[in-house]
């Protein structure tokens, strides 16, 4: 049965600007969308007319219900312009819900304001396949990223403050201030301090019973300023904050050190939010985040600093996904937005868990993985699905004629510059050559045990001959099906055939989920298995990376999954190597760890975690209509 909220779109040609399309549609009250998918009013909180926070109690109520079909959308190696992965995710869901009468929920990441005001623009989809209200989706939403920013920076402040206080006080004075006496003169440990005592192997619970040696071990974290890995964050592209000096005030007594800012979505707290499975799990993950190393070589955690509980309090509302809707009235859960390079680039486990219960046994949950399938889908399978325990039945790989021409040897594609004529005229041979990239993505993704459907995101200048080449190459490579889609121009109606193919792929899925590597493999072993899937012949480690791997192994973290941080523009480490390169060696510059989130991330080359503003940022076009109050110029 079709959704009662399904909205028939009045599509125009040529397709208007995204913000104009979004503003032309009045969203249904979000309570109507909630009712449509069976959410009890007790299980959500309204944030204005068009958004609601879905409470974790919704999952608790539905826990015994069967899951629906689980679909992940990835892509081929993209051009700098992107190939429409978010648009395809939304268009597919509009097709399933508004045209094929299926119960469906879209699960997507929350965008950072950095790219929104920078060069990329928003991430609500595009054309007639969008999440609305588009301006609210891209700006603030329900404040989750602000909560992450506040929590991250509280932890950063606590690190510097602790180093300062330890440097200026004796062991006993430090201990007495950490455990102050009450009015009766009695000292007690805060509950979080008992966790630190247990970690140190000290069984005592009365502060008065600690020996001088135990007082010192408990009170002194002895953080090495040169080995602090935690940075401050803000949700703005600001290149001048990449490296800063702190502690220059006269009251800091010369405790100057170099540090820097990351963009908020690069915070480990964002990765924690995306991978957590419950409030208790989030509390545990936040507490075990490692912020640096002591001079003795031990990892120092947020709980060691006494902060795990406070961080959880700041994040208690952010753990709840935000309910929104598509242009055609199908439901969307927006939650988390970790970087797809240094983190795993997927929306939250919690949103997927709730959505799979809401849609029921024959419904569909469609979620998007960041960047190409070599990054986003690989991390979805090997990191996200490990922690969630969920099994996808189908993976969609989005391809465009434009990107395949580039991989076949076409001219460079540069954001902000006009496309070469090659990309606007029929070039069958270039497309055929570029299909090597598509084929490798299909083969890699199929190896996880899912059925693969290729979505060919059509542009007006593409030709049937080019589409035929892609379809043939996809089937030869092992795809379940390959479908041409026009959802950008037509909404869900342009993705109906894709919806049918995805439904068939899910219903005919019979295979268990196969991970690329076992967790008990060494850090190097796991890195090398992932590198092999890229087409690499080997891996080279810098001296620094070797030392870091040795340290993490000694500290007991070698059993974590691997989250490779590399360019999204090639299977390799070099953005210039297009198609399906082979015979190259992956250089590992550094190896870092997100212990609370639960992964090790090797850096292949230089990864910027604080983007810069271009000469001509998107914010030039953004303004407010003072008469209607509508946002103008978002893209």
């Amino acid at each position: 049965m079709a959704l009662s909220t399904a909205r028939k779109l009045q599509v125009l040609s040529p397709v208007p600007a995204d913000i104009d399309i979004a503003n032309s549609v009045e969203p249904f009250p979000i309570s109507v969308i909630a009712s449509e998918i069976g959410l009890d009013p007790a299980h959500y909180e309204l944030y204005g007319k068009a958004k609601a926070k879905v409470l974790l109690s919704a999952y608790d109520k539905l826990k015994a219900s069967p899951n629906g079909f689980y679909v992940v959308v990835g892509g081929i190696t993209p051009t700098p312009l992107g190939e429409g992965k978010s648009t395809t995710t939304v268009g597919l869901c509009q097709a399933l819900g508004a045209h094929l009468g299926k119960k469906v929920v879209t699960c997507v990441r929350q965008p950072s304001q950095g790219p929104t005001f920078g060069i990329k623009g928003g991430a609500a989809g595009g054309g007639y396949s969008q999440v609305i209200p588009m301006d609210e989706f891209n700006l603030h939403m329900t404040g989750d990223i602000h909560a992450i920013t506040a929590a991250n920076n509280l932890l950063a402040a606590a690190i510097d403050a602790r180093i300062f206080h330890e440097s200026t006080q004796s062991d006993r004075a430090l201990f007495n201030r950490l455990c102050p006496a009450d009015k009766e003169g009695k000292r007690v440990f805060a509950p979080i301090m008992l966790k630190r005592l247990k970690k140190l192997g000290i069984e005592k619970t009365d502060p008065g019973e600690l020996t001088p040696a135990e007082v010192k071990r408990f009170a002194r974290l002895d953080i090495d300023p040169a080995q602090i890995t935690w940075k401050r964050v803000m949700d703005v592209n600001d290149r001048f904050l990449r490296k800063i000096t702190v502690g220059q005030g006269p009251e800091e007594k010369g405790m100057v050190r170099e540090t820097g800012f990351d963009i908020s979505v690069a915070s480990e707290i964002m990765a924690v939010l995306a991978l957590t499975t419950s409030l208790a799990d989030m509390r545990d993950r936040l507490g075990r985040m490692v912020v640096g190393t002591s001079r003795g070589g031990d990892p120092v955690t947020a709980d060691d600093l006494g902060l795990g509980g406070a961080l959880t309090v700041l994040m208690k509302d952010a753990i709840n996904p935000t309910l929104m809707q598509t242009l055609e009235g199908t439901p969307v859960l927006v939650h988390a937005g970790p970087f797809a390079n240094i983190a795993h680039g997927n929306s939250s486990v919690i949103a997927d868990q709730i959505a799979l219960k809401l849609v029921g046994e024959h419904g569909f949950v469609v979620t998007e993985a960041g960047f190409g399938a070599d990054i986003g889908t690989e991390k979805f399978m090997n990191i996200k699905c490990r922690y969630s325990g969920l099994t996808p039945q189908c993976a969609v790989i989005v391809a465009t004629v434009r990107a395949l021409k580039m991989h076949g040897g076409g001219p460079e594609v540069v954001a902000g510059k006009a496309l070469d004529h090659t990309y606007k005229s029929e070039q069958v041979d270039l497309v055929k050559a570029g299909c090597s990239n598509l084929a490798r993505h299909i083969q890699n993704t199929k190896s996880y045990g899912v059925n693969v459907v290729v979505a060919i995101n059509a542009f007006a200048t593409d030709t049937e001959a080019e589409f035929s080449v892609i379809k043939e190459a996809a089937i030869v490579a092992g795809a379940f099906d390959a479908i041409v889609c026009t959802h950008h121009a037509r909404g869900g109606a342009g993705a109906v055939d894709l919806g049918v193919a995805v439904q068939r792929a899910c219903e005919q899925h019979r295979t268990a989920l196969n991970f690329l590597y076992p967790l008990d493999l060494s850090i190097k072993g796991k890195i090398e298995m992932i590198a092999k899937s890229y087409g690499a012949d080997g891996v080279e480690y810098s001296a620094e990376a070797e030392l870091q791997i040795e340290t993490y192994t000694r500290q007991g973290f070698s059993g974590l999954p691997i989250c490779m941080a590399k360019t999204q523009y090639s299977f390799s480490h070099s953005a210039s190597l297009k198609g399906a390169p082979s015979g190259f060696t992956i250089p590992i510059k550094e190896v870092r760890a997100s212990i609370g989130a639960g992964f090790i991330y090797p850096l292949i080359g230089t990864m910027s975690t604080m983007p810069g503003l271009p000469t001509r940022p998107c914010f030039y076009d953004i303004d407010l209509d003072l008469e209607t109050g509508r946002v103008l110029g978002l893209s």
Side-chain angles (χ1 to χ4, degrees):
M1 182 182 293
L3 290 170
S4 61
T5 53
R7 179 188 290 108
K8 184 173 177 59
L9 295 176
Q10 301 298 319
V11 300
L12 301 176
S13 183
V15 179
D18 290 349
I19 189 66
D20 293 335
I21 294 173
N23 284 339
S24 72
V25 174
E26 183 66 29
F28 291 109
I30 201 63
S31 57
V32 173
I33 303 294
S35 176
E36 187 72 43
I37 55 172
L39 268 175
D40 189 292
H43 300 310
Y44 64 88
E45 294 177 349
L46 296 175
Y47 274 66
K49 298 177 181 178
K51 302 186 299 295
K53 277 285 195 177
V54 180
L55 306 179
L56 301 187
S57 58
Y59 179 73
D60 295 336
K61 181 183 178 183
L62 298 167
K63 207 167 187 176
S65 302
N67 285 343
F69 292 120
Y70 195 27
V71 181
V72 60
V73 179
I76 62 171
T77 305
T79 70
L81 304 178
E83 309 318 308
K85 199 158 67 302
S86 299
T87 306
T88 301
T89 300
V90 176
L92 169 59
C93 290
Q94 291 181 162
L96 287 167
H99 297 267
L100 296 172
K102 304 298 179 183
K103 213 166 184 183
V104 63
V105 174
T106 314
C107 291
V108 292
R109 290 182 291 171
Q110 178 183 355
S112 164
Q113 289 181 172
T116 298
F117 289 114
I119 194 168
K120 182 180 180 292
Y128 287 100
S129 295
Q130 293 188 58
V131 180
I132 57 171
M134 184 258 233
D135 57 336
E136 295 182 28
F137 178 88
N138 286 305
L139 303 172
H140 304 293
M141 213 167 66
T142 49
D144 292 356
I145 294 179
H146 301 320
I148 289 164
T149 304
N152 184 101
N153 293 344
L154 175 62
L155 182 50
I159 295 166
D160 286 315
R162 184 59 174 263
I163 294 172
F164 173 81
H165 291 305
E166 287 190 21
S167 72
T168 57
Q169 300 178 51
S170 67
D171 295 342
R172 178 53 63 178
L174 185 64
F175 180 77
N176 288 345
R177 286 183 172 88
L178 287 170
C179 301
D182 60 20
K183 292 179 180 178
E184 284 75 39
K186 183 176 175 59
R187 300 184 186 277
V188 295
F189 289 119
I192 199 169
M193 292 176 173
L194 298 176
K195 294 183 72 171
R196 174 159 174 78
L197 288 166
K198 185 175 181 180
K199 176 181 174 180
L200 295 172
I202 299 172
E203 299 297 329
K204 300 169 184 176
T205 58
D206 183 349
E209 294 180 359
L210 267 63
T211 66
E214 289 170 337
V215 164
K216 182 174 183 175
R217 289 179 64 212
F218 167 78
R220 292 204 176 275
L221 301 181
D222 200 25
I223 300 169
D224 183 352
Q227 295 191 72
I228 296 171
T229 54
W230 198 262
K231 294 183 179 181
R232 290 162 173 83
V233 299
M234 63 188 305
D235 198 31
V236 173
N237 289 2
D238 193 341
R239 67 178 72 246
F240 281 85
L241 291 179
R242 290 171 181 168
K243 181 175 279 191
I244 64 168
T245 304
V246 296
Q248 296 189 81
E251 294 183 355
E252 278 60 67
K253 302 180 181 179
M255 296 186 61
V256 176
R257 71 178 181 92
E258 281 192 351
T259 180
F261 273 76
D262 291 333
I263 196 162
S264 294
V265 292
S267 170
E268 185 178 348
I269 296 177
M270 175 62 89
V272 166
L273 177 65
L275 288 171
T276 195
T277 56
S278 67
L279 190 60
D281 182 53
M282 183 175 75
R283 169 63 185 85
D284 185 54
R285 287 174 182 268
L286 291 172
R288 68 172 185 255
M289 292 188 303
V290 173
V291 301
T293 303
S294 73
R295 288 185 174 89
D298 297 318
V300 179
T301 68
D303 269 349
D304 287 331
L305 284 156
L307 215 61
L311 298 179
T312 306
V313 169
L314 286 172
M315 294 292 293
K316 69 181 179 63
D317 295 322
I319 197 173
N320 300 314
T322 301
L323 179 65
M324 297 185 74
Q325 63 191 280
T326 67
L327 285 167
E328 297 189 53
T330 59
V332 180
L333 286 179
V334 187
H335 202 209
F339 249 45
N341 291 99
I342 64 156
H344 63 294
N346 284 259
S347 61
S348 79
V349 167
I350 280 177
D352 291 358
Q353 287 175 327
I354 292 172
L356 284 163
K357 298 300 182 185
L358 288 172
V359 300
E361 190 171 6
H362 302 292
F364 294 82
V365 171
V366 182
T367 188
E368 178 192 353
F371 290 149
D374 56 318
I375 298 180
T377 304
E378 184 270 310
K379 294 173 182 179
F380 171 85
M381 301 292 184
N382 290 306
I383 299 176
K384 184 176 180 180
C385 288
R386 279 188 199 270
Y387 285 122
S388 71
L390 300 173
T391 299
Q393 290 77 38
C394 175
V396 174
I397 296 179
V398 179
T400 61
V401 169
R402 176 180 67 197
L404 292 173
K405 285 179 179 177
M406 179 191 71
H407 287 294
E412 187 178 7
V413 176
V414 180
K417 290 187 178 180
L419 278 173
D420 187 271
H421 178 69
T422 301
Y423 297 103
K424 302 176 184 178
S425 60
E426 185 173 277
Q427 304 283 341
V428 173
D429 288 343
L430 274 184
V431 174
K432 187 177 293 186
C435 280
S436 62
N437 183 271
L438 173 62
R440 182 175 289 174
H441 281 298
I442 292 170
Q443 291 156 4
N444 284 355
T445 304
K446 192 177 177 185
S447 71
Y448 294 111
V450 296
N451 287 330
V452 176
V453 174
V454 174
I456 306 168
N457 186 19
F459 289 68
T461 54
D462 301 341
T463 69
E464 287 299 327
E466 291 168 332
F467 292 150
S468 294
V469 166
I470 300 171
K471 288 179 181 179
E472 181 180 354
I475 299 302
V476 169
F480 182 89
D481 209 341
I483 306 294
V484 178
C485 310
T486 56
H487 45 278
H488 182 272
R490 299 173 57 216
V496 167
D497 289 345
L498 176 62
V500 171
V502 166
Q503 181 180 346
R504 288 177 50 243
C506 288
E507 291 172 345
Q508 295 181 34
H509 178 261
R510 300 287 184 273
T511 313
L513 178 60
N514 301 315
F515 297 121
L516 180 60
Y517 51 80
L519 288 180
D520 59 3
L521 204 59
S522 68
I523 292 175
K524 281 188 174 181
K526 286 179 279 200
I527 290 172
E528 286 155 20
M529 287 196 75
I530 297 172
K532 186 177 179 181
S533 77
Y534 297 156
D537 276 357
V539 179
E540 287 182 350
Y541 302 89
S542 70
E544 184 179 7
E546 292 276 11
L547 181 60
Q548 289 162 333
I549 289 171
E550 181 185 331
T551 298
Y552 294 138
T553 301
R554 176 177 53 79
Q555 292 177 342
F557 302 138
S558 63
L560 294 175
I562 300 297
C563 185
M564 296 285 259
K566 77 172 185 71
T567 177
Q568 67 268 36
Y569 296 125
S570 173
F571 270 110
S572 74
H573 58 288
S574 172
S576 64
L577 295 179
K578 303 302 183 185
S582 60
F584 54 91
T585 300
I586 291 283
I588 304 295
K589 180 184 176 184
E590 289 182 63
V591 179
R592 300 179 186 172
S594 289
I595 303 304
F599 53 75
I600 303 287
Y601 61 103
L603 272 66
I604 304 171
T606 302
M607 288 288 127
S608 175
T609 51
M610 171 53 85
L613 288 171
T615 305
R616 209 284 192 183
C618 294
F619 60 62
Y620 274 90
D621 300 312
I622 299 172
D623 211 326
L624 193 69
D625 185 319
L626 299 180
E627 292 185 4
T628 65
R630 282 185 166 174
V631 173
L632 306 172
L634 274 179
S635 60

